[in-house]
Amino acid sequence: MKKRILGFWEIWNMSFGFLGIQFGFALQGGFMSRIFQTLGASKDEIPMLWIAAPLTGLLVQPIIGYMSDRTWSPKWGRRKPYFLIGAILSTMALFFMPYSPALWVAAGFLWVLDASINISMEPFRALVADKLVESQRTYGFVVQTLIIGIGTWIASNLPWLVSEMGVSDSAALGVVPNSVKIAFAIGAFVFLASILYTVFTTSEYPPEDMEEFEREKKKKNSFVSDIVNNVGNMPLTMKKLGVIQFFSWFAFFTMWSLANPALTEHVFNTPAPVESAFDMADSIQKAAFDTANTAFQKSSNLVGSAMGVYGLSSMAFALLLVLYTAKRNINRKYVHMFSLFLGGLGFILMNYVSPEQLKYCFILIGFAWGSILSMPYAMLSSSVDPKKMGMFMGIFNMFIVIPQIIAALGGINFVSNLIGEEAINAMTIAGISLLIAGLCNLLITNKAAISYQSTE
């Protein structure tokens, strides 16, 4: 079946579910470390508590990609069943996460949440390649990035907005404030609603050759051996993109896991109070702890709100690209390179800014984020077998999760401690990592990946 050129609103509808996915990711990335700190985690313990997220992605995305490539239902399509399953599980995990009574419970909920988001996310990447002709793929991934930017900005501001509406930021020792609980509940609702919107407004193309598709399904090849074979035979351009992804995602995992302790301490001067430093049996000491904890929770709201700005600037970046790529080609390699340079500068400048200036750092980071969510996937989709798009998109996720695993297992702490013990050094390392990622774009030489030239 020949694919037709899709209009903006058709592409918008098929990508709208990413609004909910990004609500989940933004709440997880902006406030999970805050929950860990509230439950008593130290700065050095936080990256390890995040280990569940990348480990889950490493296992789930290739499997879901493989399964969705081999799925077809005349009613539900190929990718949509996975959207829906992931959305239901993510909704439950988001709602119950802030009610965690202990660190190990919160870490367990993070595991469930990240697995569920991954079940929904990977098929969305493949759907763009499934539905769009080659000349529209950059456009499609950029529209997806536009929606992601909207979701990041709104979700990151939810605890602050809820607090401004009068919900308390204060809470007892080891209890997450109501402002965060309500924000996560809103996120859970949006996640499910946006996925349902895409499911009911978007149709999918059936396999081009149904008989061949059925024969492939009946083959008794192990999906493990299939994945291993495709890992061994991945295109050279995909490997080069993997190097760029490694340094890009090391930087952003560092931000998600350590921005809250780094910025509340260095920029706002309100670090999370350590219970052992206060005599909780003494009323004066307990009052001092409560005052310090409330100050930390309020500055955490402001850190989350500032982080939301990177979603806003990535949205603006994506909107400009949508308008441009609707009619013209771009040099994906150089767009990605200079966007990553801007993000690296944003991280490094965090050492020198005031609370009021922090948003400008995240504006720069947003350009990098907007590019990370679109350019590598546009370049990849021009370099792999369309029949294995889901699997290759899942395998490509290895280059996202492996740097996060390395970072969580001590990589961030080791490298940042080479500079000093202050938490803000982690943001400097994130900046350097993005600068390296930008330079690695010079490895990309495949002309089709750099700028698709339409022959229509």
Side-chain angles (χ1 to χ4, degrees):
M1 180 182 294
K2 186 177 180 180
K3 298 177 184 177
R4 62 182 179 85
I5 300 292
L6 299 187
F8 172 79
W9 289 113
E10 290 175 293
I11 297 174
W12 176 273
N13 289 345
M14 63 184 271
S15 300
F16 190 75
F18 242 115
L19 179 73
I21 291 173
Q22 198 55 35
F23 259 70
F25 265 130
L27 288 170
Q28 171 183 301
F31 303 102
M32 201 63 234
S33 291
R34 173 184 181 175
I35 292 174
F36 287 151
Q37 286 184 281
T38 299
L39 294 173
S42 68
K43 172 182 72 71
D44 291 337
E45 291 174 322
I46 288 174
M48 188 61 185
L49 290 167
W50 275 80
I51 189 66
L55 275 177
T56 303
L58 181 64
L59 297 172
V60 170
Q61 286 221 18
I63 294 172
I64 295 300
Y66 175 88
M67 292 173 63
S68 67
D69 280 343
R70 298 166 70 88
T71 296
W72 175 252
S73 163
K75 182 177 181 181
W76 295 105
R78 171 176 290 179
R79 315 296 181 184
K80 291 192 294 184
Y82 300 94
F83 302 166
L84 193 54
I85 293 168
I88 293 169
L89 294 174
S90 296
T91 296
M92 292 189 291
L94 275 170
F95 183 84
F96 289 108
M97 175 80 75
Y99 294 91
S100 300
L103 267 176
W104 69 269
V105 178
F109 270 125
L110 176 60
W111 197 306
V112 174
L113 176 61
D114 207 76
S116 306
I117 292 176
N118 275 288
I119 291 170
S120 289
M121 185 178 69
E122 190 283 329
F124 262 101
R125 299 293 191 195
L127 182 66
V128 171
D130 289 347
K131 291 277 290 180
L132 299 181
V133 297
E134 182 80 25
S135 60
Q136 279 197 304
R137 285 186 185 167
T138 298
Y139 184 47
F141 284 116
V142 169
V143 171
Q144 211 172 68
T145 301
L146 175 62
I147 292 172
I148 289 170
I150 295 169
T152 300
W153 179 63
I154 297 173
S156 296
N157 279 285
L158 276 177
W160 170 82
L161 180 60
V162 170
S163 175
E164 288 296 299
M165 294 172 67
V167 179
S168 176
D169 287 311
S170 301
L173 177 66
V175 177
V176 176
N178 284 334
S179 56
V180 176
K181 291 176 179 176
I182 292 174
F184 272 66
I186 294 170
F189 171 77
V190 173
F191 199 119
L192 184 59
S194 63
I195 293 286
L196 288 173
Y197 180 85
T198 287
V199 167
F200 290 116
T201 60
T202 301
S203 61
E204 297 189 63
Y205 291 120
E208 290 185 14
D209 187 334
M210 187 61 73
E211 291 184 3
E212 181 185 355
F213 176 78
E214 292 296 335
R215 284 196 300 271
E216 286 292 323
K217 283 179 62 177
K218 290 176 182 177
K219 287 183 179 179
K220 296 184 178 179
N221 295 341
S222 163
F223 76 85
V224 174
S225 64
D226 275 0
I227 291 173
V228 170
N229 288 336
N230 281 288
V231 169
N233 296 314
M234 71 175 69
L236 180 59
T237 298
M238 185 173 173
K239 295 176 184 177
K240 293 177 178 179
L241 286 168
V243 178
I244 300 168
Q245 292 288 81
F246 180 93
F247 290 103
S248 300
W249 287 89
F250 188 96
F252 272 87
F253 182 85
T254 300
M255 181 187 77
W256 293 323
S257 59
L258 289 176
N260 198 70
L263 299 177
T264 52
E265 175 185 305
H266 182 80
V267 177
F268 290 90
N269 198 30
T270 55
V274 179
E275 181 188 356
S276 59
F278 296 83
D279 181 1
M280 302 304 285
D282 182 280
S283 59
I284 296 176
Q285 288 279 300
K286 184 178 184 305
F289 175 88
D290 290 341
T291 299
N293 186 50
T294 299
F296 165 72
Q297 298 292 349
K298 286 187 176 296
S299 63
S300 294
N301 283 346
L302 295 174
V303 169
S305 182
M307 286 181 71
V309 173
Y310 88 85
L312 198 61
S313 62
S314 71
M315 180 178 68
F317 172 82
L319 183 58
L320 290 173
L321 285 182
V322 165
L323 296 173
Y324 192 87
T325 58
K327 300 293 184 182
R328 304 173 185 86
N329 292 315
I330 59 171
N331 188 305
R332 298 161 176 167
K333 177 170 81 172
Y334 288 122
V335 168
H336 198 41
M337 175 188 292
F338 289 111
S339 299
L340 294 177
F341 285 164
L342 289 174
L345 179 63
F347 278 119
I348 292 170
L349 288 175
M350 287 178 178
N351 286 271
Y352 311 105
V353 298
S354 67
E356 294 75 22
Q357 297 167 333
L358 185 59
K359 59 180 178 289
Y360 298 113
C361 295
F362 282 108
I363 287 173
L364 295 176
I365 291 167
F367 289 113
W369 182 238
S371 190
I372 286 170
L373 294 175
S374 54
M375 293 302 109
Y377 296 99
M379 287 190 273
L380 177 66
S381 67
S382 299
S383 310
V384 301
D385 182 356
K387 295 179 181 178
K388 297 180 179 180
M389 190 63 68
M391 179 179 287
F392 275 120
M393 287 289 180
I395 291 172
F396 194 54
N397 190 59
M398 291 192 311
F399 300 119
I400 294 175
V401 298
I402 289 174
Q404 295 182 63
I405 292 170
I406 292 172
L409 289 175
I412 296 175
N413 291 338
F414 174 76
V415 180
S416 63
N417 284 339
L418 294 177
I419 304 174
E421 295 183 359
E422 295 83 1
I424 195 64
N425 292 328
M427 299 300 99
T428 302
I429 294 301
I432 294 170
S433 189
L434 275 190
L435 294 177
I436 295 171
L439 288 172
C440 288
N441 277 272
L442 296 174
L443 297 171
I444 306 299
T445 56
N446 183 325
K447 292 182 179 179
I450 292 170
S451 180
Y452 173 74
Q453 299 296 322
S454 175
T455 58
E456 297 175 9

